[in-house]
Each structure stands twice: as structure tokens, then as C-alpha cells.
Amino acid sequence: MEKYILAIDQGTTSSRAILFDHEGNLVSTAQKEIENFFPQPGWVEQSADEIYGSVAAVLTECLAKAGLSLAEVAAIGISNQRETTIVWDSDTGKPVYFALVWQSKQSESYCEEKRANGHETFIKKKTGLLIDPYFSASKIRWILDHIENGQKRAEAGELLCGTVDSWLLYRLSGNKVHKTDVSNASRTLLMDIHTLSWSKELCDIWNIPLCILPEICATSTVLAVTDATIFGMEVPIASVVGDQQAALFGQTCFKEGEVKNTYGTGCFLLMNTGSKPVFSSQGLVTSVGWKIENEVTYVLEGSVFVAGAAVQWLRDQLQIIPDAPSSEEKAKSVKDNGGVVVVPAFSGLGAPYWKPNVTGGIFGLTRGSGRGEITRATLESLAYQTNDVILAMSRDTGFALSSLKVDGGACKNDLLMQWQADVSQTQVHRPVISETTALGAAYLAGLAVGYWKNSEEIASRWRSEVVFEPKQSASEMKVHLERWEKAVKAAMLFGE
Ligand code: ADP
């Protein structure tokens, strides 16, 4: 009987299940949207029960669509939105509060306090991260402080806590398993990135009891099995991995210096830095990519908070385009940006600037600037923001980028990809399978159960659909880059 690998991609806006065959082909997919709640400005929450419910639903639907059952699944791999934090009752398995989503800024005051107390340098050395509400620690603290007797219940072992991977493992295993993997744990601000274990010192800084945290495991290993009473049989869950690290793996960036960029809601550029963490002096963060058996791969990452979300802004707020793909046609309706530069700093500027209070701006407007120019400039801003991260990364590592592998919704936009090639003077490779996040989780699960032999076998499967070569020279692009730099400076000046 032929077997398949089932990947679950639990993202910020939806949960997806994708069934892959041995050749890495997509056999079947199912998708369900997740509701985001915005109870106050800057807050983003989701229902943890809805997250699990959507995953269970797409898992079943995906198999049903293919006319298959779990008996034909060799292993399940899970990739997940990272940093999003859930606390639940260890007895009943019920969440005690909403999931605090990675974008949520409600725990900023805790971060401010830690920065003011001078913890920044120690925390960076230990975790590779910055003190920011983006990461999980301050979110855990916030939940424990906003439910009744949170701290007391946590210390008494009545609560468990985890990122989305842990929550899904817990529920899929019938409330039996409380684990996470190194890639997810490295985004919490609580794991020592050198020893790959929870740090007592870090937990003390946030006053988080160690007993509520999951066991940290490798990324590619059997972490749990599905509960037979819920799913009819026990199938190994053989990987959990943060979505951006999953995409890096799915793009088969297995060698030191290899880079991928995901153009989704935000942009996430990750470089494989090999077996040693590289610490940034340029506003990037250091995380664990994955651990396979005893081998650890580290990554350097730049996160841009608003990328595809700026295209949604054109669609929803400005109503210039009916849908995201139409942005390409609209941008092509003009010969160039007409001198317009858009800085889409709608939730501050992320890497490499880290300026939470900066707001967006449109610069260079003239009487002739219209929808076409604004759309074109918005798309171009995704390439400039990516380029800023690329430049920071090459300053940190000394690697000169020779090619960039891309994925995510907006990588389908040819005009944007060509602009990226021109701006960064690099080849841009778009793969045949753009579902790289799910593919990465599938590969990691397949490796753990021997479905695929090794990473060489997997790497040989990667195929470019298109390669975008730079068409304009560096000197032709200089003027555009200078204008972008000026616009960012002006936005910062306005936002401070
Ligand atoms: P996420 O995983 O963050 O939800 P996706 O990878 O699914 O994001 O990508 C969706 C994002 O990509 C949306 O923000 C959307 O505006 C943008 N997008 C999708 N298609 C295009 C396109 N053809 N051109 C530009 N942007 C696009």
C-alpha cells in the first residue's frame, strides 16, 4: 500500500493540511480560515479551541478529498505560526485565555520594564533575540497576570503553557503529550540557544515557573502519536517546526549561507548559518533552524512586519485593486513609479530598524501620481524592505548573496520578483512547489520515520519554476535605493 506524509501548516490567517507523496507532489489540500480578534488597538488574539478545531477539520477533509484514511499516512508533520502563546488548565485541557498572537503588542509594558532594568545584553547573549512583545515570554507573563490566581496556579502545576505546536501536540495526542521543538522554543525568550534547554535565569527574569513549560525535543523525531479514540488510529507526529524554519527546510537551504525569503503577511528572510549561532550587530535575530538527531542548524533572521499586508491595504483601505493578484496588472499600467515611494510601516518598522513607533508614509507625490504609481511603489517597498535585511545580513556574516529562493503568497507577483532581482542585483529563484512551509514540515516528518532517506535525496527534488535575473544595472538602481533610504529616514523622523 502506498503511503503519504500529511503536513499541517497552522498559519496566522488559516490552517491548512497538505498530503504529499514520496516524490514530494501535492496529492490533496484542505484549508480553513482562523478568526483574528482585535479587542484593543495593537492587540491580536485568536481562540485556541478554534485553532485546534480547524486543524482537526482540515486533517479529516484533506484525507477525505483524496479518498484516503490515516492508515495510509506514514507520519504527520506540523509547521506553525510562531511565538503565539497559549496557557491551558492541566486537568481539563481547556485554555484559560485566548491565544496571544505574535503580532500582538499587549505585553509591551513588561518588555519596557525589562529593557529599563538593563536585561537586554544578557537576554540577547542567551537567546539570540531582542526584548520585544513579538516573542512569547512577555505574553505568558501577561496571561498569568490577567487570569485569576494565574501565578499561584502555574506554580502549583495546575497550568500548562506552550506555543501553537505544543497546543496541537497536546490536543492531537488526546491531552497526553506536552512537548515542543527547538525551533519553536528558540522564539520564546526562555530557551538558552547554546544548551537548547529552558534557562532558569531567563525564567526568573519573567517570573515564569519552569513546570508550566513543555519538554524541548528535536525537530525531526516522533514526538507523539494521534489519539486513537479521537482519530481512529495512532499515527506518528514526527515533526513540529516553526513556519519560517519549515520554509527554509522546504526550500532545501541545507548549506551554510543559503537564504530564502517568504513574502506573506510579512517578509521573513532566513539564512542557514550552520552548526554555530551567528549573533547580529545589525538588528537581526538568531534562532534555531532545526535539530535532526544530534545535529543542530542555526539561522539568522530578519522579519519585516508589513509586506503582503500592504497589498491588502491597497485592496481594503484604499480600494485601488479588487484582489491581491490584480496589483501586478495595476502596477504595469504605468511605466514606472513616477517618483513615488511608499514606506508601509503600518505596525512600526521591524528588522533591521526595530522602530515600533514609526508609522507609514507616501513620498514623492505630484499632480500626476495616481493609483498605478501608488500600487507600483507599494509592491516595490516589499523588495526594498527585503533588500535592507539582505544588506544587514551580509554585513553580519560577510556572505555576499548570490541567489535568493522565494515563496509565500506575494512571490507569485512577477513584477515584484523582477524588481527584487534588480534591487538586490541577485538571481531570484521561485520554486515549482511554493507550499514550502508545509513541504518542510513533511520532509522533517518523513526523515524521522525513514520515509525519505536523507537530506540529499530531498535536495535533489527542488526545482525552479522561474529564475528572475537582474535586468537593470546596479548604477541604474542606485537612484531608487537612495530615494528609499531617504523616505525611510523621513518616516522615522515623523514617527519619533
Ligand atoms: P500568510 O501565510 O502570512 O497568511 P501567504 O503566504 O498566504 O501569507 O500570502 C498572502 C499575502 O500575500 C497577502 O498579504 C496578500 O496580500 C499577498 N499576495 C497574494 N498574492 C499576491 C500577488 N499576486 N501580488 C502581491 N501580493 C500578493
Side-chain angles (χ1 to χ4, degrees), residues 89-162:
D89 186 303
S90 59
D91 218 23
T92 64
K94 293 245 175 314
V96 297
Y97 194 80
F98 287 94
L100 299 197
V101 178
W102 57 275
Q103 296 148 315
S104 197
K105 301 244 192 296
Q106 69 218 76
S107 53
E108 164 60 13
S109 61
Y110 294 105
C111 296
E112 239 170 62
E113 180 202 315
K114 304 302 169 206
R115 285 185 216 111
N117 290 344
H119 289 297
E120 194 110 51
T121 310
F122 174 76
I123 286 183
K124 178 148 189 222
K125 262 198 208 144
K126 272 267 189 213
T127 67
L129 308 174
L130 310 158
I131 301 178
D132 194 275
Y134 175 31
F135 306 108
S136 310
S138 64
K139 297 185 197 290
I140 304 174
R141 184 68 263 144
W142 191 97
I143 296 175
L144 295 183
D145 284 348
H146 288 78
I147 59 167
E148 215 175 313
N149 294 325
Q151 186 67 15
K152 224 163 102 194
R153 293 182 65 198
E155 284 170 8
E158 293 171 19
L159 300 177
L160 296 175
C161 156

Side-chain angles (χ1 to χ4, degrees), residues 11-12 38-39 102 140 166 178 198 204 211 233 255 280 349 431 458:
T12 315
F38 308 101
W102 57 275
I140 304 174
S166 297
H178 188 217
W198 299 122
D204 285 348
C211 64
M233 63 178 303
K255 292 201 199 93
S280 177
L349 280 170
I458 287 170

